[in-house]
Amino acid sequence: MYIKAKKSLGQNFLIDRNILEQIVDTVDVANKEILEIGPGSGNLTTYILKKNPKKIHVIEKDNDLALLLKEKFNNEIHIINDDVLKISENDISDEKLTVFGNLPYNISTEILSKWIINLSKNFWFENLVLMFQKEVADRIVAQCNTSKYGRLSILSNWKLNIKKIIDIKPESFSPRPKIDSSLLLFTPRLNFFEIDSAKNLEMITRIFFSQRRKMLKKPFNQIFKDSKKVSEKFDIDLNLRPQNLEPDVYFNLVKEYESLRG
Ligand code: SAH
């Protein structure tokens, strides 16, 4: 069947065999329960199946592609013809999933943020192997004290360990995207920092990073009544800039904010 890629659904299908091979080899697949997001025409699905998984669930929003997948794989895979943003990831299986996703670039950060925010300490996955636009991947993996470090790095570091696997050129896709891509591997950070509400983390990092060139004094005064006391408690030099604080410092500040507000 001929399929015309739909731009609105971010359809760039992977066609490079070496890359498809490398993606499935990132983690153990044999006997694992797999979730694939946006399988498209099933290129990656075929490579996953070759590695003898226990079961594969796929979530594909495009009705035409869902039909095509049904024809191609019959009962070999469980097809969920729905929007990944509407599915509650905790309900897909009782087993911990290994997740693959050549995600549609326009919603990749939204998917990742939603998963992180909803994530409880009984992680619903073992690994996430996800493709991002390179520029977004660079922000996710960015270390403290670098220019790309920011809200997305802090949020991702909160509950996940992150590793870059490979960069992928536009030629590996059809149609070719205009940008480079990167594949990231995420694993659970089992003892992640507990805060009352992810909203407070989002709010506090927004205040800091909307003025990323300013010294910490200003956002501190906006967030805390007695900013001197808080900065002394955590030994923070208020002449530094937001990018100089490690993720854990932000989590401590959120906790402090929550306890001061009682
Ligand atoms: N994984 C395939 C296709 C990647 S393109 C490959 O590598 O060849 C992205 C895929 O995500 C497309 O199949 C697109 O239809 C699907 N998609 C886009 N938005 C989606 C959403 N909200 N929920 C589920 N799937 C989505």
Coordinates of all heavy atoms in Angstrom, one line a residue, residues 138-139 141-151 153-154 157 209 212-213 216 236-237 239-250:
D138 N 19.6 18.0 22.9 CA 20.7 18.7 23.5 C 20.3 19.4 24.7 O 21.1 19.5 25.7 CB 21.3 19.7 22.5 CG 22.1 19.1 21.4 OD1 22.4 17.8 21.5 OD2 22.4 19.7 20.4
R139 N 19.1 20.0 24.7 CA 18.6 20.7 25.9 C 18.3 19.7 27.1 O 18.5 20.0 28.2 CB 17.4 21.5 25.6 CG 17.7 22.8 24.8 CD 16.6 23.8 24.8 NE 15.6 23.4 23.9 CZ 14.3 23.4 24.2 NH1 13.9 23.6 25.5 NH2 13.4 23.1 23.3
V141 N 19.8 16.7 27.6 CA 21.0 16.2 28.2 C 22.0 17.2 28.8 O 23.0 16.9 29.4 CB 21.8 15.3 27.2 CG1 20.9 14.1 26.8 CG2 22.3 16.1 26.1
A142 N 21.6 18.5 28.6 CA 22.6 19.6 28.9 C 23.0 19.5 30.4 O 22.1 19.3 31.3 CB 22.0 20.9 28.6
Q143 N 24.3 19.7 30.6 CA 24.8 19.8 32.0 C 24.7 21.2 32.5 O 24.7 22.1 31.8 CB 26.2 19.3 32.0 CG 26.5 17.9 31.5 CD 26.0 16.8 32.5 OE1 26.1 17.0 33.7 NE2 25.3 15.8 31.9
C144 N 24.6 21.3 33.8 CA 24.7 22.5 34.6 C 25.9 23.3 34.1 O 26.9 22.7 33.7 CB 24.8 22.2 36.0 SG 24.9 23.5 37.1
N145 N 25.8 24.6 34.1 CA 26.9 25.5 33.6 C 27.1 25.6 32.1 O 28.2 26.0 31.7 CB 28.3 25.2 34.3 CG 28.3 25.3 35.8 OD1 27.7 26.3 36.3 ND2 28.8 24.4 36.5
T146 N 26.2 25.1 31.3 CA 26.3 25.2 29.9 C 25.1 26.0 29.4 O 24.1 26.2 30.1 CB 26.3 23.9 29.2 OG1 25.0 23.2 29.4 CG2 27.4 22.9 29.7
S147 N 25.2 26.6 28.2 CA 24.2 27.5 27.7 C 22.9 26.8 27.4 O 21.8 27.4 27.4 CB 24.7 28.2 26.5 OG 24.9 27.3 25.4
K148 N 22.9 25.5 27.1 CA 21.6 24.8 26.8 C 20.9 24.2 28.0 O 19.8 23.8 27.9 CB 21.9 23.7 25.8 CG 22.2 24.2 24.4 CD 22.5 23.2 23.4 CE 22.7 23.9 22.1 NZ 23.4 23.0 21.1
Y149 N 21.6 24.3 29.1 CA 21.0 23.8 30.4 C 19.8 24.7 30.8 O 19.9 25.9 30.7 CB 22.0 23.9 31.5 CG 21.6 23.5 32.9 CD1 21.3 22.2 33.2 CD2 21.4 24.5 33.9 CE1 21.0 21.8 34.5 CE2 21.1 24.1 35.2 CZ 20.8 22.8 35.5 OH 20.4 22.4 36.7
G150 N 18.7 24.1 31.1 CA 17.5 24.9 31.5 C 16.4 24.0 32.0 O 16.6 22.9 32.6
R151 N 15.2 24.5 31.9 CA 14.0 23.9 32.5 C 13.8 22.4 32.1 O 13.5 21.6 32.9 CB 12.8 24.7 32.1 CG 12.8 26.1 32.5 CD 11.5 26.8 32.2 NE 10.5 26.3 33.0 CZ 9.2 26.4 32.6 NH1 8.8 26.9 31.5 NH2 8.2 25.9 33.4
S153 N 16.1 20.3 31.0 CA 17.2 19.5 31.6 C 16.8 19.1 33.0 O 17.0 18.0 33.5 CB 18.5 20.1 31.5 OG 18.6 21.2 30.7
I154 N 16.3 20.1 33.8 CA 16.0 20.0 35.2 C 14.8 19.0 35.3 O 14.9 18.1 36.1 CB 15.8 21.3 35.8 CG1 17.0 22.2 35.8 CG2 15.2 21.2 37.3 CD1 16.8 23.6 36.1
N157 N 16.0 15.4 34.5 CA 16.9 14.9 35.5 C 16.2 14.6 36.8 O 16.7 13.9 37.6 CB 17.9 15.9 35.8 CG 19.2 15.7 35.0 OD1 19.9 14.7 35.3 ND2 19.4 16.5 34.1
F209 N 14.5 30.8 34.8 CA 15.0 30.8 33.5 C 14.4 31.8 32.5 O 14.9 31.9 31.4 CB 15.0 29.3 32.9 CG 16.1 28.5 33.5 CD1 15.8 27.8 34.7 CD2 17.4 28.5 33.0 CE1 16.8 27.0 35.3 CE2 18.4 27.8 33.6 CZ 18.1 27.0 34.7
R212 N 17.4 34.3 32.4 CA 18.6 33.5 32.6 C 19.9 34.2 32.7 O 20.9 33.7 33.1 CB 18.6 32.3 31.6 CG 18.7 32.6 30.2 CD 18.7 31.4 29.3 NE 19.8 30.5 29.7 CZ 19.8 29.2 29.7 NH1 18.7 28.5 29.4 NH2 20.9 28.5 30.1
R213 N 19.9 35.5 32.2 CA 21.2 36.2 32.3 C 21.3 37.1 33.5 O 22.3 37.6 33.8 CB 21.3 37.2 31.1 CG 21.6 36.4 29.8 CD 21.5 37.1 28.6 NE 21.4 36.2 27.5 CZ 22.4 35.4 27.1 NH1 23.6 35.5 27.6 NH2 22.3 34.5 26.1
L216 N 21.0 35.6 40.4 CA 20.0 34.8 41.1 C 19.2 35.7 42.1 O 18.0 35.3 42.5 CB 20.6 33.6 41.9 CG 21.2 32.5 41.0 CD1 22.0 31.5 41.9 CD2 20.1 31.8 40.3
I236 N 23.9 29.1 48.7 CA 23.8 29.5 47.3 C 24.3 31.0 47.2 O 23.8 31.8 47.9 CB 22.4 29.4 46.7 CG1 21.9 28.0 46.8 CG2 22.3 30.0 45.3 CD1 20.4 27.8 46.5
D237 N 25.2 31.2 46.3 CA 25.8 32.5 46.0 C 24.8 33.3 45.1 O 24.7 32.9 43.9 CB 27.2 32.4 45.4 CG 27.7 33.7 45.0 OD1 27.0 34.8 45.1 OD2 28.9 33.7 44.5
N239 N 25.0 35.9 43.5 CA 25.5 36.6 42.4 C 25.7 35.6 41.2 O 26.1 36.1 40.1 CB 26.9 37.2 42.7 CG 26.7 38.2 43.8 OD1 25.8 39.1 43.7 ND2 27.6 38.2 44.8
L240 N 25.4 34.3 41.4 CA 25.5 33.4 40.3 C 24.3 33.6 39.4 O 23.4 34.4 39.6 CB 25.6 32.0 40.8 CG 26.8 31.6 41.6 CD1 26.7 30.2 42.1 CD2 28.1 31.7 40.7
R241 N 24.3 32.8 38.3 CA 23.1 32.8 37.3 C 22.4 31.5 37.4 O 22.9 30.5 37.8 CB 23.6 33.0 35.9 CG 24.6 34.2 35.8 CD 24.0 35.3 35.0 NE 25.0 36.4 34.7 CZ 25.4 37.3 35.6 NH1 25.1 37.3 36.8 NH2 26.2 38.3 35.2
P242 N 21.1 31.5 36.9 CA 20.3 30.2 37.0 C 21.0 29.0 36.5 O 20.8 27.9 37.0 CB 19.1 30.6 36.2 CG 18.9 32.1 36.3 CD 20.3 32.6 36.4
Q243 N 21.8 29.1 35.4 CA 22.4 28.0 34.8 C 23.5 27.4 35.7 O 24.0 26.3 35.4 CB 22.9 28.3 33.4 CG 24.2 29.1 33.3 CD 24.5 29.4 31.9 OE1 23.7 29.8 31.1 NE2 25.8 29.3 31.6
N244 N 23.9 28.1 36.7 CA 25.0 27.6 37.6 C 24.5 26.7 38.7 O 25.3 26.1 39.5 CB 25.8 28.7 38.2 CG 26.3 29.7 37.2 OD1 26.0 30.9 37.2 ND2 27.1 29.1 36.2
L245 N 23.2 26.5 38.8 CA 22.6 25.6 39.9 C 22.3 24.3 39.4 O 21.6 24.1 38.4 CB 21.4 26.3 40.5 CG 21.5 27.7 41.2 CD1 20.2 28.0 41.8 CD2 22.6 27.7 42.2
E246 N 22.8 23.2 40.1 CA 22.5 21.8 39.7 C 21.0 21.5 39.9 O 20.3 22.2 40.7 CB 23.3 20.9 40.6 CG 24.8 20.9 40.5 CD 25.3 20.2 39.3 OE1 24.5 19.5 38.6 OE2 26.5 20.3 39.0
P247 N 20.5 20.5 39.1 CA 19.1 20.2 39.3 C 18.7 19.9 40.7 O 17.6 20.4 41.2 CB 19.0 18.9 38.5 CG 20.0 19.0 37.4 CD 21.2 19.7 38.1
D248 N 19.5 19.2 41.5 CA 19.1 19.0 42.9 C 18.9 20.2 43.7 O 18.1 20.2 44.6 CB 20.2 18.1 43.6 CG 20.0 16.6 43.1 OD1 19.1 16.3 42.3 OD2 20.8 15.8 43.6
V249 N 19.6 21.3 43.4 CA 19.4 22.5 44.1 C 18.0 23.1 43.8 O 17.3 23.5 44.8 CB 20.5 23.6 43.7 CG1 20.2 24.9 44.4 CG2 21.9 23.1 44.0
Y250 N 17.6 23.0 42.6 CA 16.2 23.4 42.3 C 15.2 22.6 43.0 O 14.2 23.1 43.5 CB 16.0 23.4 40.7 CG 16.6 24.5 40.1 CD1 17.8 24.4 39.4 CD2 16.1 25.8 40.1 CE1 18.5 25.5 38.8 CE2 16.7 26.9 39.6 CZ 17.9 26.8 38.9 OH 18.5 27.8 38.3

